[in-house]
Amino acid sequence: MKKSLKIYFIVFTFIIAFVLAFAGMNLVQAQSQAKGKPESPSDKGKPPKITCNTNGICENGEYDSNSGPENQPCSDCLPKTYPPLVLDQISEQIICLGRSNFPYSKGKAYQFQCVGGSYIDESNKIGEYHDTWASYGLDESYIHAISIGDADNDGEKEIVTVLNYVYEGGKGKNKWKYYDSKILMFKDGSDGTLEYSSDFMGPSNTVVYDTIIADVDNDGMTNELILAKADDNVAVYQWTEGLGFVEVWAGPDYGYRIHHIDVGDCDDDGENEIVLAMFDVGSVFILEYLGEDGSGNKIWSEPIYSEQITICEPSQTCKIDMVRIADADNDGENEIIAGGNNNRLMVWKYNSAEGGYDLVFVSENLGGCTQGVDVGDINGDGSIEVVIAAWQSEAIYVYEYSETNQEYIRVNSMVYGGGVFDLTVGDVDGDGIDEIVLYDGYSDSEGIEIYDFIGSDFISGHLQQTYYSPYGSFLEID
């Protein structure tokens, strides 16, 4: 009896062990099927491979170290060798800064030009564009503004930008931070290196937000470089041979950030004024040149305020982001056009009878901060249109002044799926019709985008993106 029990116990134990082993194998197999192939230590933390499209443009993802063969960047992202800079002295070109959050283009200045294209009808050309020049990487510091024009008054255009350096240290209550800046210039023939770098301007609270090259002392002979400086003021620099850019005037601290500046004859007296896009004021500031004081120093006026904006929602205060001086209503006289955080297009016109700047138009809410605005003839009909973009609604809007209604009418729009940070209008493909060029700073396709209006009238025609480059950010056309 004991022997049979012993045999039974052995057989039973063997059966239980077999069942457990079989169940364990199935569990491991199920887990393996659910999880796939186990990761090796070398695979952990790596982003997925990116397919290199070899289209000649270094795109987001293609710059990653594991995107191309043998863990190298795609061929599109290998360093380019550009020919020397050739600034077109007649036709328009795009000058822009590289994107600060894209390692391939960070810290560089770029030139884009139309190098070909084809006509889709008798007058409308769709251009082919290339980045025809780039500087060497300037620095890891913050670059926000770039301009093109005859800055040193030698009769030819130059590229000018400002490099902002950040200094910080300390901890807790003793933590400190300040900025300092240098003016940089590239001339025709540059192999990517600088022609000129100024000394430091001196410590300030924030960065230089904008620059422009223009004749602001109205001598008709020389241009000046105007900076929206970091400490809420404006400074005017003059090129002096042997010394470089020398500050000839600095305005007071206006108490509010100056986000953008433009220069033009906004009161139609035949002389240029400086116009400032001001934060938290609800007005634009206009500065007039007053000549020289008793010591021979150039001076500009105290701010002349435009009529104040009262529609500031959705925010509590009106922050004006961008201003342009141009003839927007086709009457031969200039207006001041602006956009801002109240999501609207705003237009001021000089009142010659009373001597002030009247607010003559405020659009409906366009669904987002209107940080880009300019004017041009985008459909080739010989009349000027106003183009404005809003970033939350991701849309571009076209306005045309109606003599019948005596106001600006929205005649076309498109959703472009991005967020404008800068916008300008110009004939960059040479067909006699202006294109819209913008810096999309908020979407997955961040970079420079070009739009053509396809068609002759705004009822049947439409805006169409005809070029995109991920390299660029803040820009100018000349």
Side-chain angles (χ1 to χ4, degrees):
M1 183 69 180
K2 291 181 180 179
K3 185 176 180 180
S4 61
L5 284 172
K6 186 176 181 180
I7 293 171
Y8 176 81
F9 179 76
I10 293 170
V11 172
F12 179 77
T13 302
F14 178 79
I15 293 171
I16 293 297
F18 178 81
V19 170
L20 289 174
F22 182 81
M25 288 174 63
N26 278 277
L27 179 61
V28 170
Q29 185 178 14
Q31 289 175 334
S32 177
Q33 289 174 345
K35 293 184 178 180
K37 181 183 176 182
E39 285 186 334
S40 66
S42 61
D43 289 334
K44 290 181 179 180
K46 283 189 175 182
K49 287 270 188 179
I50 303 295
T51 301
C52 301
N53 60 21
T54 62
N55 66 352
I57 299 174
C58 180
E59 296 165 307
N60 291 325
E62 290 189 321
Y63 190 81
D64 298 338
S65 61
N66 73 326
S67 53
E70 299 180 356
N71 295 328
Q72 296 296 316
C74 293
S75 59
D76 289 342
C77 296
L78 297 177
K80 286 187 179 181
T81 301
Y82 293 94
L85 174 62
V86 178
L87 288 168
D88 197 315
Q89 305 299 324
I90 300 172
S91 300
E92 295 187 323
Q93 62 228 290
I94 301 166
I95 302 298
C96 67
L97 295 172
R99 277 174 46 203
S100 60
N101 59 349
F102 188 23
Y104 182 79
S105 64
K106 181 178 179 179
K108 296 179 181 180
Y110 280 89
Q111 176 195 50
F112 286 84
Q113 290 180 297
C114 180
V115 297
S118 58
Y119 281 83
I120 59 172
D121 55 36
E122 291 182 356
S123 59
N124 204 331
K125 177 182 178 181
I126 301 301
E128 177 188 346
Y129 302 92
H130 288 174
D131 49 322
T132 47
W133 176 85
S135 71
Y136 293 120
L138 298 174
D139 201 276
E140 292 296 312
S141 301
Y142 186 56
I143 315 171
H144 191 276
I146 190 167
S147 291
I148 178 173
D150 186 5
D152 64 359
N153 300 299
D154 66 348
E156 295 187 348
K157 300 174 185 178
E158 289 83 34
I159 298 172
V160 176
T161 186
V162 174
L163 195 59
N164 300 286
Y165 295 82
V166 185
Y167 301 94
E168 53 188 332
K171 294 182 179 180
K173 294 181 179 180
N174 297 319
K175 192 172 182 178
W176 54 268
K177 183 177 183 178
Y178 72 91
Y179 300 83
D180 208 339
S181 305
K182 289 183 175 183
I183 302 170
L184 312 178
M185 184 167 69
F186 299 92
K187 289 181 72 71
D188 216 34
S190 169
D191 62 355
T193 56
L194 285 167
E195 175 73 21
Y196 166 84
S197 176
S198 74
D199 294 332
F200 281 106
M201 297 180 190
S204 57
N205 295 322
T206 54
V207 300
V208 173
Y209 278 95
D210 198 23
T211 61
I212 190 169
I213 300 165
D215 178 10
V216 290
D217 64 2
N218 298 296
D219 65 359
M221 298 180 292
T222 59
N223 287 326
E224 288 75 42
L225 174 66
I226 307 93
L227 275 62
K229 288 196 74 176
D231 293 318
D232 301 332
N233 74 333
V234 173
V236 178
Y237 287 79
Q238 180 83 52
W239 179 265
T240 302
E241 202 62 42
L243 298 176
F245 287 108
V246 176
E247 185 179 278
V248 296
W249 181 78
D253 185 335
Y254 297 120
Y256 307 96
R257 182 193 299 176
I258 303 162
H259 201 264
H260 183 252
I261 53 179
D262 200 12
V263 172
D265 183 8
C266 56
D267 60 3
D268 297 291
D269 65 350
E271 296 189 343
N272 288 332
E273 288 78 38
I274 304 171
V275 177
L276 314 178
M278 302 298 298
F279 265 30
D280 300 319
V281 179
S283 301
V284 294
F285 284 6
I286 299 99
L287 309 179
E288 289 190 343
Y289 181 62
L290 300 180
E292 296 183 355
D293 62 14
S295 301
N297 300 311
K298 296 180 180 182
I299 54 174
W300 277 261
S301 70
E302 293 294 318
I304 300 167
Y305 293 71
S306 68
E307 181 181 343
Q308 193 169 32
I309 293 288
T310 57
I311 304 173
C312 293
E313 70 268 5
S315 300
Q316 298 301 312
T317 57
C318 280
K319 302 179 190 296
I320 298 173
D321 290 316
M322 180 172 276
V323 291
R324 300 286 188 190
I325 303 168
D327 179 11
D329 60 6
N330 297 286
D331 69 348
E333 297 180 350
N334 287 330
E335 288 75 42
I336 299 173
I337 307 99
N341 75 328
N342 64 348
N343 302 356
R344 287 161 164 74
L345 167 65
M346 297 159 278
V347 182
W348 287 269
K349 194 172 185 68
Y350 184 71
N351 185 329
S352 58
E354 300 182 8
Y357 292 86
D358 296 336
L359 182 63
V360 296
F361 179 76
V362 180
S363 75
E364 70 273 33
N365 189 328
L366 299 178
C369 294
T370 45
Q371 296 185 146
V373 61
D374 204 355
V375 305
D377 180 8
I378 65 167
N379 69 338
D381 65 351
S383 295
I384 295 297
E385 293 83 40
V386 180
V387 179
I388 191 163
W391 69 264
Q392 284 97 337
S393 59
E394 302 182 340
I396 301 171
Y397 303 91
V398 180
Y399 282 81
E400 193 172 48
Y401 187 76
S402 168
E403 287 286 351
T404 303
N405 299 313
Q406 295 290 293
E407 67 173 349
Y408 294 86
I409 306 295
R410 195 168 89 190
V411 293
N412 206 281
S413 64
M414 73 167 290
V415 174
Y416 68 100
V420 70
F421 227 137
D422 198 3
L423 180 149
T424 188
V425 173
D427 182 14
V428 289
D429 64 5
D431 65 353
I433 302 173
D434 289 329
E435 285 73 43
I436 302 165
V437 186
L438 62 83
Y439 163 37
D440 174 359
Y442 289 99
S443 71
D444 291 337
S445 60
E446 183 175 347
I448 296 292
E449 301 171 10
I450 299 177
Y451 292 83
D452 278 73
F453 185 81
I454 309 301
S456 58
D457 66 87
F458 288 113
I459 295 174
S460 61
H462 65 279
L463 290 167
Q464 179 177 309
Q465 185 185 115
T466 52
Y467 181 72
Y468 162 72
S469 170
Y471 305 159
S473 58
F474 298 99
L475 59 103
E476 238 186 57
I477 294 176
D478 193 348

